[in-house]
Amino acid sequence: MIQIENLTHVYPASRKTPARTAINNLTLTVEEGQFCILSGPNGSGKSTLFRILCGMSLPSAGTIRIAGHDLFKEPGKARAELGVVFQSPAVDKHLTVGENLRLHADLYGLSSSLYAERLSEAMAWTDLKDRLNDKVDTLSGGLARQVELAKALLTRPRLLLLDEPTTGLDPASRRNFIEALHKIQRERRMTVLMTSHIFSEAEDADRVAIMKEGNLLAFDSPQTLRSRLGREMVVLQSRGAVVLEGRIRADLHLKTRRHGDEIRLEETDNGASLPILEKLLAAYRDDIDSIAIKQPALEDVFIHLTGPQKSDTSENGEIQ
Ligand code: ADP
Ligand code: MG
């Protein structure tokens, strides 16, 4: 459904900033019907890629095909397949929910009968049924996001793009939104590409792409990504983590990674975690605030691949 080949985007130098490569030779294919999450630390190039996919900006080099149509040579055909939910609100908050949806349907030339059908579909999965005549600015953040999604789905796109759609929502509204999205995606076999910082949102995805500084570091199923870190890892917290990490390495010859107050021992062989935990406790009990054995989650894979943030550099933070 999306074929990105050798995509590069360089923001030209200005008087204040040097030229910056936001996307570096990216090649990626999203199959029809997949739910794909695009993640990566700030500055990875996610929003740049999103803008290019929506047809809002042109890349420096490379090709993109959407449902077989070349996005740059046949932009109209490619964009006809797309629905988009932006991070910032794209509905008119002074209009009612119904007026916003109707306006969008009119822009796309939906007939009245088709609009009525799609509206009733939307009312079935949203909590907007009693709110159609309310102005959008009277809705909660979660309901306002539902309006955005309902709007993007009115035209029944085969491909839905969303840029951090749950930012700013409380956990319950976020879960509602993601659950509704997954349900609709499965029912319609719609393809979804969504950027997100929130790893719990990526655990149910079919594919997760992890980017850093314009490069694609990984693109796989959550299960395959997690299995890269083995079955278990030992994670400990210490206020003196910098010093303690040095001692663990020198005394016990173990491989560590540090992120702030946290020290991780990722490459423990199957069954080796418990003896390692016991050894650490025996040697450094007073320096350890907490210690646990855990199964890697997607967030751990992300930390493993993208390393510490610039403000928190461990000497051991190289990307492997
Ligand atoms: P993300 O969405 O992953 O945080 P962005 O696509 O916004 O990443 O940014 C990728 C890189 O491109 C960053 O280094 C950022 O500073 C740079 N960048 C983004 N937008 C512009 C712009 N309009 N002009 C110049 N540089 C930009
Ligand atoms: Mg962004």
Side-chain angles (χ1 to χ4, degrees):
M1 178 56 69
I2 311 177
Q3 281 172 287
I4 302 172
E5 272 175 26
N6 304 110
L7 192 77
T8 292
H9 192 67
V10 182
Y11 288 106
S14 71
R15 267 188 301 145
K16 288 186 193 147
T17 54
R20 204 170 266 144
T21 303
I23 298 176
N24 183 21
N25 202 25
L26 176 79
T27 295
L28 185 112
T29 300
V30 180
E31 305 288 343
E32 175 146 30
Q34 279 185 339
F35 195 111
C36 175
I37 296 272
L38 181 63
S39 67
N42 283 334
S44 303
K46 304 182 298 292
S47 293
T48 302
L49 177 60
F50 190 84
R51 279 196 298 272
I52 293 171
L53 282 169
C54 300
M56 289 162 65
S57 52
L58 285 173
S60 314
T63 57
I64 297 181
R65 298 181 85 79
I66 290 182
H69 306 295
D70 187 312
L71 179 59
F72 310 123
K73 294 192 182 131
E74 307 174 290
K77 279 189 183 162
R79 272 189 249 170
E81 310 284 0
L82 278 186
V84 182
V85 176
F86 294 99
Q87 183 174 353
S88 47
V91 291
D92 189 331
K93 61 184 178 58
H94 303 299
L95 297 181
T96 67
V97 173
E99 285 165 346
N100 267 292
L101 295 176
R102 179 78 242 189
L103 189 66
H104 189 71
D106 286 345
L107 279 175
Y108 278 79
L110 251 61
S111 69
S112 296
S113 57
L114 206 49
Y115 171 67
E117 189 186 310
R118 304 270 166 94
L119 184 67
S120 73
E121 274 174 13
M123 293 309 106
W125 66 263
T126 61
D127 307 307
L128 295 166
K129 205 176 296 154
D130 305 325
R131 308 300 297 266
L132 274 176
N133 297 319
D134 293 356
K135 287 191 178 164
V136 170
D137 66 1
T138 65
L139 302 180
S140 66
L143 285 182
R145 284 274 101 186
Q146 290 188 2
V147 182
E148 301 274 352
L149 183 57
K151 187 182 104 168
L153 293 175
L154 276 180
T155 54
R156 284 219 162 224
R158 284 169 71 194
L159 170 61
L160 184 67
L161 305 175
L162 308 99
D163 195 12
E164 309 226 3
T166 62
T167 304
L169 295 188
D170 61 78
S173 313
R174 182 187 301 151
R175 211 170 315 119
N176 273 349
F177 184 92
I178 296 296
E179 274 171 16
L181 182 58
H182 269 290
K183 187 161 173 283
I184 296 163
Q185 184 261 341
R186 277 193 299 269
E187 279 170 11
R188 302 189 184 176
R189 285 197 46 75
M190 185 171 66
T191 312
V192 171
L193 179 70
M194 170 175 140
T195 68
S196 175
H197 274 111
I198 299 155
F199 295 99
S200 57
E201 290 181 350
E203 297 282 354
D204 293 331
D206 297 308
R207 289 284 179 277
V208 179
I210 301 179
M211 287 180 73
K212 185 179 182 183
E213 291 170 2
N215 295 303
L216 184 67
L217 302 185
F219 183 55
D220 233 315
S221 67
Q223 196 187 359
T224 307
L225 289 172
R226 278 193 300 267
S227 68
R228 283 189 177 196
L229 291 190
R231 301 250 301 267
E232 316 180 322
M233 55 203 265
V234 178
V235 180
L236 69 84
Q237 310 274 338
S238 166
R239 271 159 290 177
V242 177
V243 176
L244 184 58
E245 184 187 29
R247 288 169 64 197
I248 293 172
R249 288 196 196 183
D251 302 345
L252 305 179
H253 308 290
L254 291 171
K255 249 180 124 177
T256 59
R257 276 171 178 272
R258 185 180 62 78
H259 303 281
D261 287 347
E262 189 173 279
I263 300 172
R264 295 165 165 244
L265 296 97
E266 288 169 350
E267 284 152 48
T268 59
D269 289 334
N270 215 359
S273 306
L274 191 57
I276 288 178
L277 180 142
E278 284 167 352
K279 217 188 268 184
L280 289 167
L281 265 184
Y284 313 111
R285 182 156 217 144
D286 291 345
D287 300 305
I288 293 174
D289 297 326
S290 73
I291 186 162
I293 295 171
K294 68 181 266 195
Q295 293 180 332
L298 218 42
E299 182 170 4
D300 302 308
V301 180
F302 183 84
I303 291 173
H304 177 85
L305 285 173
T306 63
Q309 303 299 296
K310 284 199 176 79
S311 58
D312 177 31
T313 306
S314 150
E315 53 185 51
N316 184 32
E318 72 277 350
I319 299 168
Q320 294 174 340

